[in-house]
Amino acid sequence: MKTLAKIILIFLIAMGNVFAQQEKGIIGANNWLYNWTEFKPGQEDYGEPTQILAGNITKDTRLTKRDTYLLLGSVFVTNNATLTIEPGTVILGDYDSKASLTVSKGSKIIADGLETDPIVFTSNRSVKRAGDWGGLIILGDAPSNKFGNGSVASFYSQLDPSAYGSTNYGGENLSSNSGILRYVRVEYAGKRIKRVGYFNGLLLASVGNETVLENIMVSFSAGNSFEIWGGEVNMNKAVSYRSSSNDFKFNYGTQCQLTNSLAVRSPYVSSSNGARCLQIVSYDNREEVDFTKRGTSVVTKNLTMVNDSEDLKSDIEKGLVKEAVYVGQNASLDMNKSVISGFNPAVLLEDKITINQENLEKIKFTDMYFNNCNGNIFTEYNSNNEDLENWYGNRAFFNVYSKSSNAETFIDLKNEKRPDYRLRINKIIASNEVDPDLRLD
């Protein structure tokens, strides 16, 4: 009986450790990154194209796994058509023609891959680089906070005037349905556009809450991995890997719930003007938005944000490491049970935000795990964060702080084929007291 009791005790301890590992950051009884993700896409051989996609897709169309498609120039899905893509299908974005795929307002994309057979959008070059092709754009008719509706026409060079109507987005339909993106990878997107900037890996503009967005990986994007303008968006298991720009940028009155998702930054590929895991703003220019409409509001739970630095102290001194989260004026964030590891600092609030109870109640951090950051929560251009540390360091928020290395913090992030970014909480000593060594100088 004593032996049986010992076995039961060991089992209960082991089960307790399993659940402890999954309390904060990305969660799952198993590593849900297996099978469908790819962290070394440049080593993949996707074969030569057998079909060409160009111009407008004006009727229901199905892309099959048996073919490999070359996306040529600016391709639009229009006329309320539905583009259906079979699991395992590969679409190559053409480098020379700055290829992109845009799903226009009223049309749909059904890209419903499988865990063992994801759909892949990638570069057609033999040696792939960030920004090889445009990216994927989905336009809906949900609201934004802009005056009138918006347009993405500036993204396209030499656009036929007849196509301008296909670049518009916005409306009043919160339940707008633009289709399904599930088990989809977008690789090496973010082509640069003269006098405009960059395409994004995936741009969602006024996309409504009936659109399914799950298990999407954007890797090596020269622009933002995920950019969301307006709409009401629910995303689950989204992965941004080694983006040159922001991992997730929310703007123009977006209402978003982002859950169980991952952002992995590298200080050696970020753009010179700095980039964040989360950038949450309500506008780029105040003149373009209607302040009687809702500002951007993002609710996140179980996010893991990691800076994959080989020498964090040295990279900070060189100016290569920035904040993980940036929150702008007139925007709100509710972040819960998430991990921020290895940033400078963890969070930065725009200097225009007045630090008072009313504003801080719109920017919530609860049950957080702040690890190895050079400071936690600051206001832009202000190194004195005593008020913020007193507020967010209150025991009622259940935030904890640690100074562990990434290798000690996560289960197996150095595995090139099957990294595991779940929290290894049972091997970390954490405290709910703010460590003075974690403050900015």
Side-chain angles (χ1 to χ4, degrees):
M1 290 296 293
K2 288 184 178 179
T3 302
L4 178 61
K6 287 181 180 178
I7 292 172
I8 292 172
L9 180 60
I10 291 170
F11 173 77
L12 291 174
I13 292 172
M15 289 301 292
N17 283 338
V18 168
F19 287 112
Q21 289 172 4
Q22 299 169 22
E23 179 184 358
K24 295 180 175 70
I26 61 172
I27 56 172
N30 299 304
N31 182 7
W32 51 261
L33 295 171
Y34 283 4
N35 296 318
W36 69 279
T37 58
E38 178 55 65
F39 292 87
K40 294 282 186 179
Q43 298 177 3
E44 293 292 306
D45 182 7
Y46 296 108
E48 295 297 319
T50 58
Q51 298 284 339
I52 292 177
L53 292 174
N56 291 343
I57 298 172
T58 58
K59 61 182 180 180
D60 293 352
T61 301
R62 187 178 191 88
L63 307 186
T64 61
K65 178 182 176 179
R66 67 175 177 266
D67 286 310
T68 298
Y69 296 85
L70 179 64
L71 199 64
L72 202 61
S74 303
V75 178
F76 290 87
V77 183
T78 66
N79 197 38
N80 297 325
T82 297
L83 175 64
T84 302
I85 306 175
E86 287 185 354
T89 303
V90 174
I91 299 99
L92 304 175
D94 181 56
Y95 173 80
D96 291 330
S97 63
K98 302 178 182 178
S100 63
L101 177 64
T102 301
V103 180
S104 297
K105 185 165 68 172
S107 297
K108 291 184 180 180
I109 182 171
I110 308 295
D112 200 358
L114 300 172
E115 181 180 8
T116 54
D117 215 7
I119 294 163
V120 179
F121 292 84
T122 192
S123 165
N124 72 328
R125 301 181 84 190
S126 57
V127 179
K128 299 174 175 60
R129 295 284 186 270
D132 275 353
W133 64 290
L136 181 57
I137 298 174
I138 301 180
L139 309 177
D141 59 354
S144 74
N145 65 357
K146 281 192 166 188
F147 287 109
N149 295 331
S151 172
V152 293
S154 60
F155 280 102
Y156 313 98
S157 59
Q158 299 178 337
L159 187 66
D160 189 296
S162 64
Y164 276 96
S166 301
T167 68
N168 296 329
Y169 64 88
E172 300 298 329
N173 184 11
L174 281 174
S175 59
S176 173
N177 185 347
S178 296
I180 299 172
L181 290 182
R182 182 160 44 201
Y183 291 113
V184 172
R185 297 204 307 263
V186 180
E187 302 167 353
Y188 300 105
K191 190 78 172 181
R192 186 172 184 176
I193 311 150
K194 289 182 179 180
R195 296 181 296 276
V196 175
Y198 294 85
F199 272 95
N200 303 288
L202 174 62
L203 170 60
L204 305 171
S206 289
V207 167
N209 58 33
E210 291 297 317
T211 306
V212 176
L213 301 161
E214 298 177 355
N215 296 88
I216 305 168
M217 181 178 192
V218 179
S219 58
F220 299 97
S221 175
N224 299 322
S225 288
F226 296 84
E227 177 134 358
I228 299 93
W229 296 347
E232 187 164 288
V233 175
N234 301 314
M235 285 197 295
N236 182 44
K237 294 181 179 177
V239 179
S240 172
Y241 186 70
R242 295 200 167 215
S243 168
S244 299
S245 296
N246 300 293
D247 295 295
F248 298 89
K249 181 178 179 181
F250 304 90
N251 203 350
Y252 299 123
T254 302
Q255 310 297 303
C256 180
Q257 292 193 33
L258 177 65
T259 57
N260 204 10
S261 294
L262 172 67
V264 180
R265 297 214 59 77
S266 170
Y268 317 115
V269 298
S270 290
S271 60
S272 59
N273 60 352
R276 297 112 173 180
C277 294
L278 295 184
Q279 182 170 340
I280 302 163
V281 295
S282 283
Y283 48 81
D284 288 334
N285 299 304
R286 294 179 62 92
E287 295 75 17
E288 60 187 334
V289 299
D290 181 351
F291 286 94
T292 66
K293 298 180 179 180
R294 293 190 293 181
T296 299
S297 176
V298 178
V299 178
T300 70
K301 186 175 182 180
N302 291 110
L303 264 62
T304 293
M305 290 163 278
V306 184
N307 173 51
D308 189 10
S309 180
E310 295 173 4
D311 186 338
L312 181 61
K313 183 178 179 181
S314 174
D315 290 339
I316 287 175
E317 290 174 351
K318 294 173 184 175
L320 299 177
V321 182
K322 305 297 182 183
E323 63 276 5
V325 178
Y326 181 88
V327 183
Q329 189 181 32
N330 301 116
S332 65
L333 169 65
D334 184 345
M335 181 173 285
N336 178 248
K337 291 186 180 294
S338 295
V339 176
I340 303 178
S341 184
F343 291 89
N344 178 38
V347 179
L348 200 61
L349 308 182
E350 186 179 7
D351 62 326
K352 296 176 183 177
I353 297 174
T354 302
I355 303 304
N356 56 33
Q357 182 172 339
E358 180 183 2
N359 286 331
L360 292 183
E361 285 179 351
K362 298 176 184 176
I363 305 171
K364 300 177 183 177
F365 297 95
T366 55
D367 237 344
M368 295 287 296
Y369 191 91
F370 295 98
N371 178 62
N372 208 20
C373 291
N374 185 33
N376 298 306
I377 304 174
F378 285 80
T379 298
E380 200 173 18
Y381 312 123
N382 188 354
S383 61
N384 183 354
N385 71 333
E386 186 175 351
D387 289 346
L388 292 173
E389 292 290 13
N390 288 338
W391 177 270
Y392 293 109
N394 189 300
R395 292 177 183 270
F397 291 116
F398 302 104
N399 297 322
V400 295
Y401 307 85
S402 176
K403 292 194 294 182
S404 301
S405 68
N406 283 337
E408 295 172 311
T409 303
F410 304 101
I411 292 175
D412 188 8
L413 79 170
K414 292 300 182 182
N415 188 323
E416 292 186 353
K417 287 300 294 181
R418 292 186 169 185
D420 193 336
Y421 287 92
R422 289 176 297 170
L423 197 61
R424 194 198 298 265
I425 193 71
N426 59 319
K427 291 195 176 182
I428 301 171
I429 298 174
S431 169
N432 60 4
E433 299 293 337
V434 178
D435 191 322
D437 291 339
L438 296 180
R439 299 178 188 271
L440 288 171
D441 293 332

